[in-house]
Amino acid sequence: MLVDSVPEQRAQTAAAPPSRRAASRAAGLLAALVLLLLVAVASIAVGAKELSVAQVWHGLFADSGTYADVVVDERLSRTVLGLLVGAALGLSGAVLQALTRNPLADPGLLGINAGASAAVVTAITFFGVTSLNGYVWFAFFGAAAVGVLVWFLGGSRGATPVRLALAGTAISAALYGYLQAVMIMDDAALARMRFWTVGSLSSATEGTVRQVLPFLVVGTLLAFVLARPLNAVAMGDDTARALGADLTRTRALSMLAATVLSGAATAACGPIVFVGLMVPHVVRSFTGPDLRWIMPYAAVLSPVLLLGSDVVGRVVARPSEVQVGIVTAIIGGPVFVFLVRRRRTAQL
């Protein structure tokens, strides 16, 4: 009975007036923003030391130098970085899923995470870099270099979704082989990389936020500008050409946007899985395929998932904590499998 009702519900949704659908999506986006605000407050309040809402408010808007205020200051950078990184991962996943016409695409598919990781292990082993501030620049340029390489190996002006995916997969395999070889030979690199590759917000500082913010702003603006042409590209090359889309320019700029967003996010926190894959995929189920709605929702709900996972990681292992990259994998894996199976059942 439930399965039989799904097509009927879809038909009713499709038949709804455009103004009603737009109002419903706008209301949903507003609710998502409220949820994001609540999760952000929880991110500041919850930790090894619990803070009340009043203490959080006082720490944000007063300057008395109490212990609670110091805690708020420390957690604020972590929360802001989580907001920025979550939005970047969600947007990059949405861009890559449209670019490759693959609903399961994420930054790892094009080798961007592998490029950042290989650059960091190179910095640790051969250049003696030990600080997060040093990692950020190496990781970002490693991701950017791989993005350019994937673009050229994928055919440059003649690039297609399949070629880009194959090039990214091949480069990822080679770089992860290099990464494992270096870490096996260098115990110090292994010890430092073990923490970074998990994915964490615990080392967030105001300096880290300032370093990655310009890249994330540029990548975000570029992604939103590309929403309309990517809608055309997602319908196939022939349809996109008929609609007047410039395939080469759209794909090149999409690669640039995804590389800047996911490269900066990975540089700041390490590779965090499932956020860029799962959130755009879930959002598409209730917004439809229009990227002009998918992107805003992904930019809001991805930080909800990331910060929520970070809060869970602080609570379950007090007074220590579980890194956010582990929590997103534990939560994201089963949830994603459930959603895929549910969607498949609904289509039968």
Side-chain angles (χ1 to χ4, degrees):
M1 190 73 180
L2 290 175
V3 174
D4 292 339
S5 66
V6 170
E8 182 179 342
Q9 293 172 358
R10 288 178 178 169
Q12 291 173 354
T13 301
S19 59
R20 184 184 301 175
R21 292 202 302 270
S24 176
R25 290 167 178 168
L29 188 58
L30 180 60
L33 286 168
V34 173
L35 178 61
L36 178 59
L37 177 61
L38 295 175
V39 173
V41 172
S43 177
I44 298 175
V46 177
K49 175 180 173 56
E50 294 286 351
L51 300 178
S52 66
V53 175
Q55 287 176 312
V56 171
W57 180 270
H58 190 270
L60 290 174
F61 300 105
D63 186 19
S64 63
T66 65
Y67 176 74
D69 296 342
V70 172
V71 173
V72 169
D73 289 341
E74 292 177 351
R75 293 181 186 170
L76 182 60
S77 295
R78 182 170 183 162
T79 301
V80 171
L81 187 63
L83 290 170
L84 295 174
V85 167
L89 292 174
L91 285 173
S92 64
V95 168
L96 290 174
Q97 287 174 15
L99 175 65
T100 61
R101 296 198 286 273
N102 181 354
L104 301 180
D106 73 338
L109 181 67
L110 297 185
I112 296 171
N113 288 346
S117 299
V120 170
V121 78
T122 299
I124 292 171
T125 304
F126 300 109
F127 297 99
V129 178
T130 58
S131 68
L132 180 63
N133 290 339
Y135 296 165
V136 166
W137 295 109
F138 276 91
F140 178 75
F141 287 117
V146 168
V148 172
L149 185 58
V150 167
W151 173 250
F152 282 106
L153 289 180
S156 188
R157 294 181 63 85
T160 63
V162 173
R163 288 181 180 177
L164 291 173
L166 289 175
T169 301
I171 292 174
S172 292
L175 288 178
Y176 278 124
Y178 162 77
L179 198 154
Q180 295 298 325
V182 172
M183 289 196 297
I184 288 173
M185 293 186 294
D186 188 337
D187 292 338
L190 176 60
R192 296 191 186 100
M193 281 295 294
R194 185 183 297 132
F195 180 80
W196 187 83
T197 54
V198 166
S200 173
L201 293 171
S202 61
S203 299
T205 64
E206 186 178 342
T208 307
V209 174
R210 285 199 304 266
Q211 283 179 316
V212 300
L213 182 60
F215 299 105
L216 296 179
V217 170
V218 171
T220 298
L221 292 175
L222 184 56
F224 277 103
V225 168
L226 289 169
R228 187 181 293 274
L230 274 174
N231 276 339
V233 170
M235 291 188 288
D237 291 1
D238 293 338
T239 303
R241 290 191 186 95
L243 294 173
D246 187 329
L247 291 176
T248 299
R249 183 176 64 184
T250 300
R251 284 175 178 152
L253 291 176
S254 298
M255 280 290 298
L256 176 62
T259 299
V260 170
L261 288 168
S262 57
T266 303
C269 302
I272 296 176
V273 298
F274 274 111
V275 177
L277 166 64
M278 184 170 64
V279 175
H281 187 80
V282 172
V283 164
R284 191 179 295 105
S285 67
F286 57 82
T287 64
D290 191 346
L291 283 163
R292 292 173 297 179
W293 284 104
I294 291 175
M295 286 185 179
Y297 268 96
V300 173
L301 291 178
S302 294
V304 170
L305 173 61
L306 188 63
L307 287 176
S309 298
D310 191 41
V311 171
V312 170
R314 294 183 225 169
V315 171
V316 297
R318 287 175 174 168
S320 184
E321 65 179 72
V322 179
Q323 303 305 321
V324 66
I326 298 174
V327 180
T328 57
I330 293 173
I331 295 176
V335 171
F336 189 68
V337 170
F338 169 75
L339 290 170
V340 170
R341 288 180 60 85
R342 180 183 176 186
R343 184 174 181 181
R344 182 181 177 184
T345 302
Q347 292 173 341
L348 293 178

